[in-house]
Amino acid sequence: MFHRIALLAAAGVMATACASSPSSSGGGMVADAGGAVSLTGATPAGTVTVANMAATTAWAAEDNLIPQDPVLALVTATNGNTDNPQGVLISCNASNGGTTVKVGKQPANRVGQSATYRIRTGASAQEVEGKFQASKSGDADFVFPIRQSDLLAMSKLDTFSILSDTGEVQWAFVKDPAAQVQAKYIASLKNMPKQTEDFMVFCNPK
């Protein structure tokens, strides 16, 4: 489903836009009707950046042994502690290879609800079906399945973003900390390609 993303990643061509929508290890990603999505008007005007972590975050993978799951987490660039993720955590069920994304800092009043978010890459977007779960921090995580091939393709982009079901850009991930993007939370793609590859090795069913 992320064929477009894979092609863009291979070419190294990415517009400075964000993408929102996970994919599932079992095919939970569906394309927006009409395929490519125009960026014009896609982001509500006046989106305020709550936290710009582009210069202070990175990605780290850890091979936790059963019964714990291997994880790929957005962490602080200084200590890389996956036990303290900075808002995004990807885990793998090592017994079957199923991969799940948790996107944090979502409204606590939505816990228990289902929603469709989007992952935007350049001028295209993909929808993902997920559910809000309570998080340890008191807010909510938006949780959805993703195929490992989609995750790997996304990790190689210069930027992508995650949009809520209201069209708000919740998260933007950038390779260049100085990139000008609009989102509530901005984080880095530092180390993500290599750490994603390591995560997939850890994620092989044992």
Side-chain angles (χ1 to χ4, degrees):
M1 299 242 180
F2 257 47
H3 181 61
R4 245 188 253 99
I5 292 179
L7 290 176
L8 289 173
V13 178
M14 237 10 245
T16 53
C18 305
S20 133
S21 104
S23 71
S24 90
S25 55
M29 192 87 114
V30 295
D32 280 346
V37 176
S38 169
L39 298 183
T40 305
T43 304
T47 297
V48 176
T49 298
V50 176
N52 187 337
M53 303 174 281
T56 60
T57 52
W59 288 84
E62 186 169 359
D63 187 11
N64 295 319
L65 300 179
I66 295 175
Q68 298 186 69
D69 295 323
V71 296
L72 174 66
L74 180 70
V75 299
T76 57
T78 51
N79 62 28
N81 185 355
T82 60
D83 290 332
N84 185 30
Q86 301 301 296
V88 182
L89 179 73
I90 302 168
S91 62
C92 166
N93 184 331
S95 64
N96 60 25
T99 306
T100 303
V101 180
K102 289 185 178 181
V103 177
K105 304 183 185 298
Q106 303 303 293
N109 62 1
R110 300 204 64 180
V111 169
Q113 297 179 17
S114 297
T116 301
Y117 273 32
R118 289 187 297 152
I119 292 178
R120 191 171 66 196
T121 54
S124 64
Q126 295 288 334
E127 292 184 347
V128 60
E129 302 292 332
K131 190 169 184 176
F132 295 94
Q133 296 179 0
S135 70
K136 295 178 181 178
S137 58
D139 50 24
D141 293 326
F142 181 69
V143 182
F144 59 90
I146 188 168
R147 279 188 294 268
Q148 292 183 17
S149 57
D150 292 344
L151 177 61
L152 182 61
M154 288 165 54
S155 75
K156 297 178 180 179
L157 299 177
D158 288 338
T159 181
F160 68 88
S161 59
I162 298 177
L163 285 71
S164 72
D165 52 350
T166 63
E168 182 178 45
V169 183
Q170 292 288 313
W171 283 85
F173 302 89
V174 296
K175 184 176 180 179
D176 179 3
Q180 297 299 305
V181 295
Q182 188 178 34
K184 288 183 68 175
Y185 302 97
I186 303 172
S188 177
L189 288 171
K190 183 178 180 181
N191 300 335
M192 194 175 184
K194 175 61 167 61
Q195 294 299 310
T196 299
E197 291 177 359
D198 289 348
F199 170 70
M200 291 180 180
V201 171
F202 302 155
C203 195
N204 285 334
K206 296 176 175 59

